[in-house]
Structures are given as structure tokens and as C-alpha cells.
Amino acid sequence: EKAVEDLIHQIASYHFESQTGIVSDDDIANLRNHYNRSVYQALLHSSKNSLNALKKRIGSRKGSNILGVSKPFFEVDVQLMPPNVSLSPSLDEIQQCINKSAQTVLSCYKKIKDWGYSTLPREKRANHTFFTRITKDIELVKVALLLTGCVQGIRNTVADYLNSFKEYDWLWKDDKEAEYDKFFV
């Protein structure tokens, strides 16, 4: 914002050779709006790129990239907790972490003041941040919704995988001594 104000000051204080070279208030407002839109677009792209990168890393599989650049965020273990087989961390814990990450990415824009409201009094303009404008973007909302629901899509696959261990549940459910005695008879 200060750089744009310095630029406007330099343009406004420049002495043109002709009398028609006076910079109008509309031109100054257009220049200010142009840079405000440019900052907004840059912030919007950075938020989309951050959420898409997060989504890509969450969906990656261990060893899927030869160079090892795309390592997954979460390593999930299957644990035997008799009488069940479970994941550690659970899918709900993973989803909570993903949601918190998306919220954190977006909440950083609450700290960046939207200087497109420079005509307002200082008290009122302090409440305007880029957060409101950025979170209204439909494309960003789509990415955020896809990200916050990405674990939901694999719940059935994980449930099927965990159910595949049921054929071995006799190892931890049945009485070992009784089965041992039965084997010798």
C-alpha cells in the first residue's frame, strides 16, 4: 500500500510541460484499484496453490515419486487392538488435521489489510482484510471443500482393507489354550 501511495505521490508531484498533464483523482483511484486487484489476485493464487499442494501431498502414496519429492503427510499404521483391527491415527483424526491445516492457510489472510478501503476513516478501514474477499471466491471454496472431504472418499476402501484381516481374527479372538488342546486331540 505504501509503495502505491509513493508512486501516486511521485506521479502527482511530477511537473508536466503542458497544462493538460494534470493527473485527475479518477486516474489516481484507478491506479490504486489496479494495484489492489493485483494484490488480491496474487493472494488468491497463493491460497489456491497452497490448498492444492496440500491436497496433492495428502493423496500421494509412499514411493510414488522416483525423486522422493512428493512424500505423503500422513503415515498410517494398522494396529491390532483385540478384538479389533484399527488405524493409527484414525481417519477422523487425519480429517481433523486436514481441516485445521486448510483453516490455518486461509486464516493468514485475516492479518493482511485490504487497502481498497483507503477512503474510509481509519477505524472502519482497519476491519477490512483480504480474508473476506478471498473466501468468497467460488474456485477457492471448491478446493477447500474437496480438501476437507478428501478422507471421506477413502473410508470404504479403508474399511474393506481392515475387514480383510477378519479371516485371521481367530488368532486373537479364540482361546489359545482351548485351540491348542483341540489341535492335539
Side-chain angles (χ1 to χ4, degrees), residues 45-159:
H45 287 297
S46 72
S47 62
K48 284 181 185 178
N49 289 342
S50 296
L51 294 178
N52 279 326
L54 184 63
K55 185 172 168 263
K56 182 179 178 183
R57 287 276 308 273
I58 289 168
S60 69
R61 295 175 182 216
K62 191 173 185 178
S64 65
N65 192 337
I66 295 173
L67 300 175
V69 175
S70 181
K71 296 179 182 174
F73 272 155
F74 301 100
E75 186 172 308
V76 180
D77 294 321
V78 176
Q79 293 183 342
L80 172 61
M81 304 287 270
N84 298 320
V85 177
S86 63
L87 292 182
S88 177
S90 70
L91 289 179
D92 290 332
E93 291 170 328
I94 293 171
Q95 186 64 64
Q96 287 173 355
C97 185
I98 293 168
N99 294 349
K100 180 74 171 162
S101 299
Q103 289 171 357
T104 303
V105 166
L106 294 176
S107 70
C108 73
Y109 299 106
K110 288 180 179 179
K111 297 178 181 177
I112 303 173
K113 303 295 181 202
D114 187 349
W115 43 276
Y117 298 94
S118 60
T119 57
L120 293 176
R122 196 174 220 26
E123 316 74 59
K124 291 185 179 179
R125 116 178 90 154
N127 296 331
H128 292 282
T129 63
F130 279 103
F131 176 79
T132 307
R133 286 174 63 190
I134 286 174
T135 55
K136 286 181 181 177
D137 183 75
I138 192 70
E139 290 298 317
L140 183 70
V141 170
K142 286 179 187 177
V143 172
L145 288 174
L146 286 172
L147 182 63
T148 58
C150 68
V151 173
Q152 192 62 33
I154 64 168
R155 283 194 187 274
N156 291 338
T157 306
V158 170

Side-chain angles (χ1 to χ4, degrees), residues 25-39:
D25 289 340
D26 286 341
D27 290 337
I28 290 173
N30 286 339
L31 181 66
R32 192 177 279 123
N33 287 338
H34 168 75
Y35 281 107
N36 185 268
R37 280 192 308 273
S38 295
V39 168

